Amino acid sequence: MTLPERLHMCLSLQYLTADRNHLWYVPRHLCQLPSLNELSMAGNRLAFLPLDLGRSRELQYVYVDNNIHLKGLPSYLYNKVIGCSGCGSPIQVSEVKLLSFSSGQLTVFLPAEVKSIGTETDHVLPLQELAMRTLYNTYYRFLKDLNFLTPISLPKSLLELLHCPLGHCHRCSQPMFTIVYPKLFPLRETPMAGLHQGRTTVSFVAYCCSTQCLQTFDLLS
């Protein structure tokens, strides 16, 4: 049902295969593994993938075939080797309540940690998101030490988010903690369409940090 909580501490891990199980999510901490080169989670119950999956240059192979509820691939995976046959079924996810984002006839589910979805008309960030970004920039960029913040100073859940953000903007790499601005790029409209023609109905999803990044991001440029 789930992967071991301390798996992200296996810093030398290069290949991870967890095919044909009952996993419904990939822990976002796995995106921090510095040596992971190949991830295979085919035949599970995935409905979404971590925002940062594929951000690591080391990760080159991702196989998520036959996850019928999976409809969105992070745009970081665009230049990777991807297996996604059998994904994108119109069947609704009933096991968990997830936020979803639609564009035209396309709908993708977002990671469970996402609290809200921004649009091109949302020019002001929520207060909590602004506070988290300020804390991160202050303690990580300048002091290089998030351990300075104790659980007494901040709730445990928010402290964990500071150490491992929800994701990083696919346009400018700004850390994101509660809100994302998604933009869909149907796979059928990319050069990869020929590799998966007729076998999948998924889209690449660019997760941005603001309306400005949302408007200027272009997967194909």
Side-chain angles (χ1 to χ4, degrees):
M1 296 290 291
T2 60
L3 295 175
E5 291 184 3
R6 298 171 64 88
L7 189 61
H8 67 279
M9 301 180 69
C10 300
L11 302 183
S12 298
L13 183 65
Q14 293 180 306
Y15 306 98
L16 175 60
T17 299
D19 297 341
R20 294 179 295 280
N21 287 288
H22 298 282
L23 302 169
W24 66 273
Y25 76 101
V26 180
R28 70 180 190 277
H29 295 77
L30 292 186
C31 300
Q32 297 181 334
L33 287 172
S35 303
L36 188 63
N37 178 257
E38 181 177 311
L39 175 65
S40 183
M41 301 190 73
N44 280 280
R45 297 180 178 179
L46 303 179
F48 58 85
L49 296 173
L51 277 60
D52 275 354
L53 189 65
R55 187 168 184 255
S56 167
R57 293 183 179 180
E58 193 66 29
L59 183 62
Q60 293 295 320
Y61 305 91
V62 176
Y63 304 106
V64 289
D65 306 85
N66 299 316
N67 283 278
I68 61 173
H69 301 308
L70 184 63
K71 301 182 180 183
L73 305 173
S75 65
Y76 282 131
L77 294 175
Y78 180 63
N79 290 318
K80 313 288 186 175
V81 177
I82 308 170
C84 58
S85 299
C87 295
S89 167
I91 299 175
Q92 296 296 313
V93 174
S94 58
E95 292 88 348
V96 291
K97 295 182 179 179
L98 300 170
L99 288 178
S100 62
F101 172 73
S102 299
S103 179
Q105 296 181 341
L106 299 173
T107 299
V108 299
F109 295 104
L110 301 184
E113 299 96 336
V114 175
K115 303 302 181 185
S116 57
I117 301 172
T119 68
E120 292 187 0
T121 59
D122 298 331
H123 297 287
V124 180
L125 287 170
L127 182 59
Q128 185 181 32
E129 182 70 18
L130 284 171
M132 293 294 289
R133 292 186 188 184
T134 300
L135 280 173
Y136 184 91
N137 290 334
T138 300
Y139 291 102
Y140 183 75
R141 290 189 178 182
F142 297 112
L143 300 181
K144 302 294 184 183
D145 185 15
L146 285 174
N147 293 322
F148 178 81
L149 289 171
T150 66
I152 298 177
S153 305
L154 204 64
K156 183 178 180 181
S157 59
L158 296 183
L159 188 65
E160 181 185 357
L161 263 179
L162 279 180
H163 283 279
C164 185
L166 188 62
H168 293 78
C169 177
H170 293 198
R171 175 70 174 82
C172 72
S173 295
Q174 165 73 46
M176 301 176 291
F177 300 93
T178 61
I179 186 173
V180 297
Y181 293 74
K183 189 173 185 177
L184 296 185
F185 296 88
L187 187 145
R188 65 174 179 269
E189 297 177 8
T190 71
M192 295 183 62
L195 300 176
H196 301 280
Q197 188 171 11
R199 294 178 294 162
T200 188
T201 53
V202 301
S203 300
F204 286 105
V205 188
Y207 296 102
C208 300
C209 68
S210 64
T211 57
Q212 181 179 1
C213 286
L214 179 67
Q215 292 168 353
T216 57
F217 183 91
D218 187 358
L219 180 67
L220 305 180
S221 63

